[in-house]
Amino acid sequence: QGSRVACPGHGAQEPCLRGPTAAAAAMSASIDCDIQTAAELDEHLKLVIHPMQRPEHLHPGLDSRPWHDAGDFPWCKVLEENFESIRRELRAVMEDWNAWPLVRGQNALTAGRGEWREMVMLGPGSEHGRRLCPTTASLLDAVAAAKALADSEGALGNAIFARLTPGTRLAAHCGPTNTRLTCHLGIEVPDGCGIRVGTTTRCWREGECLIFDDSWEHEVWNTGTRDRIVLLINFWHPDLPSEQWPEIAEELRDGFLDC
């Protein structure tokens, strides 16, 4: 079941919008809605998404923009302050290739050129990574919105060390849901790396966090001469109160994941 949202000016209920037709559906809804006040119009426009934001699951009413300010999330500063400890743990296991499986389904994005590997730190499959990098694991456990997302069945989020080998490019794609944001803490960042989200391209810096909404179209590349590694953290969108997290996780598990 999708979330139920009331069309402004009406008592009728509509399901949470899904898939590439979500924007068109939201636009067409305006024909049927009797919008009488500025507040109703503002609420209604929250259902109209940008064509570059195409998640399979769309929860209405969330702040929607490609990039967010890391300064709005105090835990980002904690990660940055502990960057050297995180990198020290990471470097100790960089040559342990048993700890770096290929990301499932990566060929759809890499077209078989280059490699996208991961070491899972929160969520299913994280036991090995957490043993190898206990300080990093402890820091991630303190990020409530990330830990809760990773621990909720079907909520489509985790935390990983994400590794791109030289020559790898992840093709433009959209994440599965707008109910989460993503943090990248730059760990190993050679020249020639970048990420585009929406129409804006940025570069990582070692020891600094970038925050973006991966339900927007994004692509990533490494044209450098050594591996690019970031600590990738999915976390609940800040507009979702924590008491709603279990409900949204259930929606994703019972509705979206069964589509």
Side-chain angles (χ1 to χ4, degrees):
Q1 287 297 109
S3 295
R4 313 300 291 186
V5 293
C7 187
H10 286 269
Q13 300 289 304
E14 298 295 339
C16 180
L17 302 173
R18 301 177 185 278
T21 60
M27 288 290 286
S28 65
S30 63
I31 298 173
D32 302 321
C33 293
D34 181 18
I35 299 174
Q36 299 179 355
T37 69
E40 287 176 343
L41 176 61
D42 180 67
E43 185 65 25
H44 181 63
L45 289 176
K46 291 179 181 179
L47 296 176
V48 182
I49 63 171
H50 193 283
M52 295 189 80
Q53 186 185 28
R54 304 183 304 276
E56 289 296 314
H57 170 270
L58 178 70
H59 189 82
L62 302 181
D63 179 20
S64 177
R65 48 196 162 106
W67 294 97
H68 290 251
D69 186 352
D72 292 336
F73 304 94
W75 51 265
C76 285
K77 183 178 181 181
V78 176
L79 292 178
E80 291 173 350
E81 290 173 344
N82 286 274
F83 164 67
E84 292 296 345
S85 296
I86 294 171
R87 183 164 64 174
R88 189 178 308 114
E89 285 189 331
L90 182 280
R91 285 180 169 175
V93 298
M94 284 184 63
E95 302 307 317
D96 179 5
W97 289 101
N98 291 327
W100 294 94
L102 292 170
V103 173
R104 186 176 61 181
Q106 64 145 354
N107 281 343
L109 296 177
T110 66
R113 294 187 293 272
E115 293 182 346
W116 179 21
R117 294 180 175 271
E118 66 179 356
M119 182 191 301
V120 183
M121 296 299 301
L122 277 180
S126 63
E127 295 82 5
H128 187 54
R130 293 172 65 83
R131 283 197 302 270
L132 294 173
C133 303
T135 298
T136 303
S138 179
L139 289 166
L140 291 171
D141 286 345
V143 183
K147 183 74 162 61
L149 179 61
D151 287 347
S152 56
E153 182 182 355
L156 302 180
N158 62 5
I160 65 174
F161 283 113
R163 184 172 189 169
L164 288 186
T165 60
T168 303
R169 187 180 195 99
L170 303 185
H173 62 288
C174 295
T177 177
N178 69 328
T179 59
R180 73 183 191 189
L181 297 182
T182 298
C183 171
H184 281 184
L185 172 66
I187 307 295
E188 299 285 349
V189 184
D191 293 337
C193 294
I195 175 172
R196 175 184 64 82
V197 185
T199 60
T200 302
T201 297
R202 296 185 179 178
C203 297
W204 301 275
R205 293 182 178 179
E206 294 180 357
E208 295 184 10
C209 290
L210 292 177
I211 304 285
F212 62 97
D213 183 339
D214 81 342
S215 68
W216 286 72
E217 181 182 289
H218 59 288
E219 60 180 330
V220 179
W221 57 90
N222 177 8
T223 61
T225 57
R226 57 188 177 91
D227 292 355
R228 184 239 60 180
I229 302 177
V230 299
L231 179 59
L232 180 158
I233 306 159
N234 298 135
F235 60 99
W236 286 111
H237 194 291
D239 285 355
L240 288 172
S242 58
E243 57 268 22
Q244 289 186 19
W245 296 347
E247 176 186 351
I248 301 300
E250 183 177 354
E251 174 185 316
L252 289 163
R253 183 191 68 225
D254 296 339
F256 170 69
L257 292 181
D258 292 334
C259 291

